[in-house]
Amino acid sequence: MRRYLISGNWKMNTTRATGVELVKALAAGCEGDESVDVLVFPPAPYLIPILDAVKGTSIQVGAQNAYFEEPGAYTGEVGLEMLQDIGCETLLVGHSERRHVFGETDELLNRKVKVALDKGFRVVLCVGELLSERQDDRTNEVLDTQMAGGLKDVTAEQLGQVVIAYEPVWAIGTGHTASPEQADAAHANIRGWLATNYSTDAAEAMQILYGGSVKADNAAELLGQPNVDGALVGGASLKASAFLPIIQAGIAATKG
Ligand code: 13P
């Protein structure tokens, strides 16, 4: 059975102090039950104190972004070696804000995915359609294109280090969550793409997270869907009081 992964993308939020306080509260809240994995993506400047704060706990830490080139003249960028140097080996790639605010293309994202996997990172690759694409009935086509683009030249072996996050753009930060049926259908399409392009085993093994206005009161229903293996939470991951109930929903879903 696939493990649930409940993850929090802090985006450009928190301070060093509130971030450290948050992971400490999460670690305390998760102590004694590690039946689901918990992963947070703090802002880059806080990775070191957060990594220190989670030492000896079950909380995992990833980076929201990195550049694929070797160290050199890339002003403003954070290199993958730098992340490895500080003990951070999970990378979020292709978040809708990277795609739509910063104009990152499937081609550029694929370079990040490939280089990160080659260096031994775990990659959480985000895919998701715009509202207009859903209204035009193009959701599956968009997801297939983003999967093919993001995972180009990724080997079957490397795929074991990939997690997919389905985040419909229209559901991010809007309060309009995809219905459990909409989420499950998109996840099933992603799994189908993996079965066709890799193998049924690879498709079955893949953790596929849902993201987009996940909250304590809708988490149980979303996580109860057969193809939903976790959540990528934005706003509700910024307070332990909002995030811990989502983790609890994952634990309850694991126990069936
Ligand atoms: P919200 O949970 O705030 O909608 O954000 C989702 C998201 O973008 C997580 O990566």
Side-chain angles (χ1 to χ4, degrees):
M1 192 184 148
R2 296 181 293 266
R3 269 178 82 81
Y4 281 84
L5 173 59
I6 309 296
S7 56
N9 173 11
W10 297 358
K11 309 191 181 186
M12 203 171 76
N13 293 298
T14 71
T15 63
R16 178 162 63 178
T18 60
V20 168
E21 193 187 332
L22 175 54
V23 280
K24 284 187 173 162
L26 296 180
C30 292
E31 212 180 328
D33 191 337
E34 294 176 10
S35 51
V36 306
D37 293 324
V38 178
L39 166 67
V40 296
F41 293 97
Y46 306 143
L47 282 168
I48 293 174
I50 299 293
L51 283 159
D52 283 344
V54 302
K55 274 200 188 110
T57 78
S58 61
I59 309 294
Q60 304 168 14
V61 179
Q64 295 177 19
N65 187 32
Y67 198 49
F68 49 78
E69 290 288 1
E70 295 300 310
Y74 302 101
T75 302
E77 292 298 323
V78 171
L80 290 161
E81 295 73 11
M82 296 168 186
L83 294 177
Q84 277 179 319
D85 188 22
I86 62 166
C88 179
E89 294 195 298
T90 296
L91 183 66
L92 192 63
V93 179
H95 189 276
S96 117
E97 286 140 26
R98 300 300 318 171
R99 292 175 186 268
H100 300 294
V101 181
F102 300 100
E104 295 193 357
T105 61
D106 281 326
E107 197 183 348
L108 179 129
L109 296 171
N110 177 245
R111 291 187 70 183
K112 293 191 180 191
V113 170
K114 268 299 288 173
V115 179
L117 290 172
D118 287 347
K119 288 185 184 294
F121 279 75
R122 168 174 55 162
V123 167
V124 180
L125 174 66
C126 304
V127 295
E129 81 287 0
L130 299 165
L131 181 59
S132 57
E133 292 165 337
R134 175 165 284 270
Q135 286 166 338
D136 291 347
D137 217 4
R138 291 183 50 223
T139 299
N140 290 347
E141 172 195 331
V142 169
L143 296 178
D144 289 355
T145 302
Q146 292 178 348
M147 290 289 289
L151 295 179
K152 185 167 172 287
D153 298 330
V154 169
T155 65
E157 197 188 344
Q158 288 179 320
L159 195 70
Q161 285 295 103
V162 175
V163 172
I164 302 296
Y166 168 62
E167 298 205 309
V169 180
W170 47 272
I172 297 176
T174 58
H176 300 298
T177 320
S179 69
E181 295 73 25
Q182 284 173 322
D184 196 61
H187 287 216
N189 180 74
I190 290 166
R191 227 178 274 293
W193 185 92
L194 290 164
T196 305
N197 292 280
Y198 286 89
S199 66
T200 341
D201 283 354
E204 277 307 307
M206 179 61 71
Q207 284 175 311
I208 308 179
L209 318 182
Y210 169 78
S213 297
V214 176
K215 307 269 180 266
D217 60 7
N218 58 28
E221 223 187 340
L222 287 160
L223 294 170
Q225 298 302 306
N227 285 296
V228 178
D229 310 311
L232 181 54
V233 184
S237 73
L238 294 171
K239 285 213 161 67
S241 59
F243 196 48
L244 281 168
I246 299 173
I247 297 170
Q248 286 304 330
I251 291 172
T254 296
K255 297 185 174 150

